[in-house]
Amino acid sequence: MAEIIQRDGTWTFDGESVRIVPGRGKGIHPLREGLGERVVPLRALAGISFEPDRKGGRLRLRLRDGACPVLRAAGGRLKDAADPYQLAVEKDRGGVAEYFADEVRNALLIEQVPADAVDGFLLPGPAVPVAGGGGDGTASFDGETVRLTWNWKAKEVKTSGGPVSFPVSEVTGVHWMPAIGLENGHLRFVRGDGTAPVRAAEYDLYSLDLWGLSKKEYTAVLVRLPGAAGRTAGPAQIAAPATALKATAPAPAAPAPAPPADDHDVLLRRLRELGELHRSGVLTDDEFAAAKQAVLKNL
């Protein structure tokens, strides 16, 4: 097991998943606090890196495209401090961060996890009910119905009609654009086939206008709306993340002899076979560790 404990949070890797527990206190972004503890399965990862700098550095998990509803909804606009899959590393813990990254890389290699996009979320959605305020109103979701209530800052086109409610079965997409600097953001619910003309969020009855210069971003709560996938999907996919598909394959009766050191493809297949044997219980933890090390030496 690999673990790194920092003020920014704690990451633990047990060979199958990375458990992320955000830190507490003034320096932790509200979005990360709101999301809370995250367990990232190995199959959701495309890679990991440690980026050292003069202050210490930063560990970054790179997720497969479509694996996380938060990243899909934000569309690449998350600041480093708000990204739940980044960890600020203190200067004297760079060696631990490098070791942590190496352990995850080795596991990805052994399990032969692909780096391409996935068809459904591999990380769970947030719990409901949930509610949060935006620049011109408040959004709430009870698991079945989305409700938008306007405040005094909203345009008349919104306030004149009163609150808006619609079932989640009508939602075909959720787009979240965090406010950055002086640029406004929005939380937009797409209904129907998505071909209707797109209006500015401040005039759209199915959008919240997000703005403000405060570090406390309202979107820390709003992104928790289930189905924040930022893509077209059916009602079932919006209501809850898709269940991860579990690959199955018959396990060989016993480990095969180690392949020649010059056959790289064979070695990679061997690593994958060892992982399958370990998961199925054919190999014990000690046997798996010894066999893995033998193959990695040839690599």
Side-chain angles (χ1 to χ4, degrees), residues 58-78:
R58 188 172 291 274
L59 264 175
R60 297 178 188 264
L61 287 180
R62 183 164 59 89
L63 272 63
R64 297 170 65 187
D65 185 32
C68 175
V70 177
L71 297 186
R72 177 56 70 96
R77 287 174 61 97
L78 281 183

Side-chain angles (χ1 to χ4, degrees), residues 129-156:
V130 64
D136 62 355
T138 299
S140 63
F141 180 62
D142 61 8
E144 296 182 358
T145 303
V146 177
R147 181 179 174 85
L148 303 179
T149 304
W150 316 117
N151 60 29
W152 63 273
K153 303 171 188 175
K155 298 293 185 181
E156 185 178 358

Side-chain angles (χ1 to χ4, degrees), residues 88-101:
V89 177
E90 296 159 27
K91 193 170 185 179
D92 61 345
R93 304 299 284 173
V96 178
E98 288 281 13
Y99 171 76
F100 189 97

Side-chain angles (χ1 to χ4, degrees), residues 180-195:
I180 297 180
L182 297 176
E183 183 181 355
N184 288 2
H186 65 253
L187 179 71
R188 185 187 306 277
F189 295 92
V190 181
R191 301 163 73 241
D193 59 8
T195 59

